[in-house]
Amino acid sequence: MDAQGRGRGDDIDPADQWVLNPNTGEYELRLSPSAPQSAVPRPRRPAAETGTGAPRGRTSPKAPGRDIPPQRGRRGVPPEEPLPGRRGRRPAKQQKSKAKKAVLWTGGTMAFVLVALAGGGYLYLKHLEGNVATTDVGDAGASNFSKDEAFNILIIGTDKRTGEGNEGYGDSGNVGHADTTILLHVSKDRSNATALSIPRDLIVDVPDCPTTKEDGTETVIPGSQGVRFNASLGESGRDAGCTMRTVKAATGIQPNHFMMADFNAVKTLTAAVDGVEVCVEDAVNDKQSKLVLPAGTSTVEGERALAFLRTRKSFGNSGDLDRIKVQQQFLGSLMRKMSSGNTLTNPAKLLKLAEAATKALTVDEPIGNVNTLKDIALELKKVPTKNITFATIPVKDNPAEVVKATVVVDEAKAPQVFDMITNDISFTEVKAQEKKEKAEVAARLKGTKAAASEVRVQILNGGAAAGSAQAELAYLQTEAGVTKSENAGNAEATRAKTTLEYAPDQADQARRLADIMGLSGSAMKPGQSVDNAQGLPTMTLILGKDFKGAGVKLNSASAATPDVEKSTADKVQCAS
């Protein structure tokens, strides 16, 4: 933090500018009366609102007969004795700051932290806003941030070598590609989040990309077919908006916003939290990344943290997919460190985190202001670490290559992962969902079942493969004995799940058909009947996208966990 930002010389720790006001119980930004106060630094782009600068002094009203204490003592200086008649400090466990704190975590090859402080912290927040760079991505993202909806933030860690000490990594002219990318989905109810890694060697089609140049002129960068995902950033002048468009084209998931940082973010952020604990099963001595670690647990920060994230040759099969697993383990550890009481209740550490994060951060313009960043931080703080799932897009080796160097989307597994994120379904709550649905099955199937020959049902295709309604009709009539069934054509709308609607007096028929088809309790919808061709009351079966084929029973859990490797942020894991 520079002298302007704190109004004092470079020898003063910015954390020491925050003191506890005993009258309000809040930490406040207090500058020494003897020090001149400079204006708050201007943001890198014009702010939405203008002002004449920071007020010359920010103080709180004094209570009658009470003085506000001077600037908090520096580390190593004995605390002052309490004033006569005033109660001394409460024990540490009882001290509580009323200052509002929020932590924003994210990550590519890194993670970001944003601290929001109320009251006297406003000027400091404006200073932090001045640290943040922004990019105009046009309609590639949302025009604003909504606190009431689920949201997707694309986290991009670039391999750009700018910054002190980074020139030694080679490729100094690198324009900065999408080296490591995570699509962070935060649920609408803030109960869970999914961090989906996107391999840099994934073969994708990069769409045409409208961009705005530094001089303000607009241009469209032509797309590319069948290229590595990391080429969606940096190549031909592509910006983060191009990466957002590529993610939408490849997954069907719309990123709302992006956050991007380079190598420096890892070094400064890990130093700000006094290191991150990592675990390796075997000792590491990697000559390429210069990482040296003993087997077991170690604490890494700065250059060693960056080396840990860049290491390939010492983990798994030395490929990018195994490096992604190591990065996810690192981010989980970082998140546990940032959410610990030692960090969240330490104003000095929070300020260091805020400085480190915002100086390394580039975001899209709609979230590049202090209030919006604060809102995002507060929303992310609501998500428990145990419900934050790390996963990777399901991929398989590129069949077009003899020597395998790239991967393609696994069409057998990936669509379910994409659908779960699109439909705001939690990876961590699937087991609870399965348990709930099984209970519903037991309750709805409890009771008598009609004979198959008594079941009257009309079948509609609501998203299954073409011809599915007729194929299922044939199976029910010839194999299952449901002779009073008919094909009613296509449903009015496509749906993801198969459903059976029935009237209360058809419950025994519904139980029989559910038993035949393996329908879940959630698929059975008590409602109304319709008339069939003979004018008799009939149930309605709509085959959804989950229909597996004539005669194939549906899984009793409609939100079954996808068959992908995943982990959660609260679990300690060792890289191997």
Side-chain angles (χ1 to χ4, degrees):
M1 183 175 179
D2 59 21
Q4 272 192 324
R6 60 179 178 247
R8 294 186 61 86
D10 290 339
D11 60 337
I12 300 297
D13 189 327
D16 288 338
Q17 302 301 312
W18 293 84
V19 297
L20 181 67
N21 184 338
N23 296 328
T24 64
E26 296 185 355
Y27 280 95
E28 297 181 353
L29 182 64
R30 187 67 48 76
L31 303 182
S32 171
S34 63
Q37 182 170 349
S38 302
V40 177
R42 293 174 60 86
R44 300 185 184 181
R45 63 180 178 83
E49 54 185 358
T50 60
T52 58
R56 291 193 56 81
R58 188 178 184 91
T59 60
S60 296
K62 296 182 181 180
R66 302 183 71 176
D67 294 324
I68 295 177
Q71 176 178 313
R72 187 180 60 187
R74 296 295 304 276
R75 182 177 300 175
V77 179
E80 296 179 356
E81 292 294 328
L83 295 177
R86 180 182 301 172
R87 285 182 293 178
R89 290 177 179 266
R90 290 174 291 177
K93 290 184 179 180
Q94 297 179 16
Q95 293 187 29
K96 293 183 179 179
S97 168
K98 296 180 182 179
K100 297 177 182 178
K101 306 176 184 74
V103 173
L104 165 61
W105 76 269
T106 48
T109 52
M110 41 64 64
F112 308 118
V113 174
L114 174 68
V115 180
L117 293 166
Y122 176 75
L123 296 180
Y124 189 72
L125 286 174
K126 293 302 291 183
H127 160 73
L128 294 179
E129 180 177 308
N131 288 344
V132 180
T134 62
T135 299
D136 180 5
V137 299
D139 61 1
S143 59
N144 56 65
F145 173 73
S146 173
K147 293 187 289 184
D148 300 320
E149 300 294 334
F151 60 90
N152 303 314
I153 297 181
L154 189 65
I155 312 304
I156 307 171
T158 77
D159 54 4
K160 198 170 185 178
R161 266 65 167 172
T162 56
E164 184 179 354
N166 294 329
E167 63 278 356
Y169 296 123
D171 196 11
S172 58
N174 194 334
V175 294
H177 299 99
D179 183 55
T180 303
T181 306
I182 290 181
L183 180 64
L184 173 65
H185 170 78
V186 180
S187 69
K188 183 176 181 178
D189 63 6
R190 308 300 186 248
S191 67
N192 64 89
T194 301
L196 185 67
S197 292
I198 304 175
R200 68 179 188 179
D201 295 328
L202 177 67
I203 295 300
V204 296
D205 291 339
V206 178
D208 293 345
C209 181
T211 60
T212 302
K213 297 181 179 179
E214 291 185 2
D215 61 5
T217 59
E218 296 183 357
T219 185
V220 176
I221 301 174
S224 302
Q225 284 70 50
V227 297
R228 281 179 166 87
F229 176 81
N230 67 348
S232 64
L233 179 70
E235 293 287 331
S236 305
R238 294 185 179 119
D239 61 15
C242 302
T243 307
M244 295 172 74
R245 296 177 191 276
T246 302
V247 170
K248 174 65 184 302
T251 68
I253 303 169
Q254 174 64 64
N256 304 117
H257 306 285
F258 85 88
M259 295 181 178
M260 179 170 65
D262 57 21
F263 283 177
N264 277 342
V266 177
K267 296 190 288 187
T268 57
L269 186 59
T270 54
V273 296
D274 298 328
V276 174
E277 191 174 89
V278 298
C279 180
V280 294
E281 289 189 359
D282 303 306
V284 175
N285 188 355
D286 193 286
K287 295 181 180 179
Q288 291 191 344
S289 69
K290 306 297 190 297
L291 178 67
V292 178
L293 288 177
T297 301
S298 302
T299 298
V300 298
E301 67 175 89
E303 293 288 349
R304 277 221 305 173
L306 180 59
F308 183 82
L309 292 175
R310 295 182 65 244
T311 295
R312 280 193 186 202
K313 300 300 181 182
S314 298
F315 301 127
N317 62 7
S318 303
D320 189 49
L321 296 179
D322 286 301
R323 186 181 69 148
I324 286 175
K325 296 176 187 176
V326 173
Q327 291 170 345
Q328 291 172 347
Q329 294 164 13
F330 177 89
L331 290 175
S333 180
L334 176 61
M335 291 164 56
R336 292 192 297 273
K337 183 68 173 287
M338 291 193 300
S339 62
S340 69
N342 290 338
T343 299
L344 292 180
T345 59
N346 187 324
K349 191 168 291 186
L350 284 170
L351 293 178
K352 290 179 181 178
L353 282 169
E355 286 290 335
T358 54
K359 285 181 179 178
L361 187 63
T362 300
V363 302
D364 54 295
E365 287 192 348
I367 64 172
N369 64 79
V370 66
N371 288 325
T372 304
L373 289 173
K374 179 189 69 175
D375 289 342
I376 293 175
L378 291 170
E379 295 306 307
L380 287 170
K381 183 177 180 289
K382 298 176 183 177
V383 182
T385 55
K386 67 178 181 179
N387 289 343
I388 300 172
T389 302
F390 289 105
T392 303
I393 290 180
V395 296
K396 58 185 179 182
D397 289 336
N398 186 352
E401 295 176 334
V402 176
V403 178
K404 305 303 181 183
T406 61
V407 294
V408 296
V409 171
D410 186 340
E411 295 296 346
K413 298 180 179 180
Q416 185 183 3
V417 174
F418 300 155
D419 285 346
M420 288 181 70
I421 293 176
T422 300
N423 295 318
D424 200 22
I425 298 175
S426 168
F427 283 69
T428 56
E429 294 181 344
V430 166
K431 290 184 178 179
Q433 177 72 8
E434 291 175 352
K435 184 177 181 180
K436 177 182 177 182
E437 291 186 354
K438 288 178 180 178
E440 291 175 345
V441 168
R444 292 181 181 177
L445 293 183
K446 187 176 181 180
T448 59
K449 299 181 179 69
S453 60
E454 297 177 0
V455 174
R456 292 190 299 272
V457 62
Q458 66 172 15
I459 308 169
L460 293 89
N461 191 331
S468 292
Q470 184 60 37
E472 182 66 9
L473 174 68
Y475 166 77
L476 290 176
Q477 290 185 340
T478 60
E479 301 292 333
V482 184
T483 55
K484 297 177 182 178
S485 51
E486 61 185 30
N487 184 351
N490 292 325
E492 294 181 356
T494 298
R495 57 185 64 192
K497 306 297 180 183
T498 296
T499 60
L500 174 64
E501 183 175 358
Y502 57 95
D505 61 353
Q506 296 173 313
D508 57 345
Q509 296 182 43
R511 295 186 192 108
R512 175 58 65 192
L513 187 60
D515 184 56
I516 293 171
M517 296 187 63
L519 296 176
S520 69
S522 61
M524 299 173 67
K525 305 294 184 183
Q528 298 180 341
S529 63
V530 296
D531 292 340
N532 64 7
Q534 290 75 40
L536 299 174
T538 303
M539 299 184 296
T540 301
L541 174 68
I542 301 180
L543 306 180
K545 291 181 179 180
D546 63 339
F547 181 70
K548 303 178 184 300
V552 180
K553 288 195 174 186
L554 293 165
N555 191 316
S556 62
S558 61
T561 307
D563 183 20
V564 295
E565 190 170 353
K566 56 189 180 296
S567 62
T568 52
D570 64 320
K571 298 294 191 299
V572 177
Q573 294 182 300
C574 292
S576 59

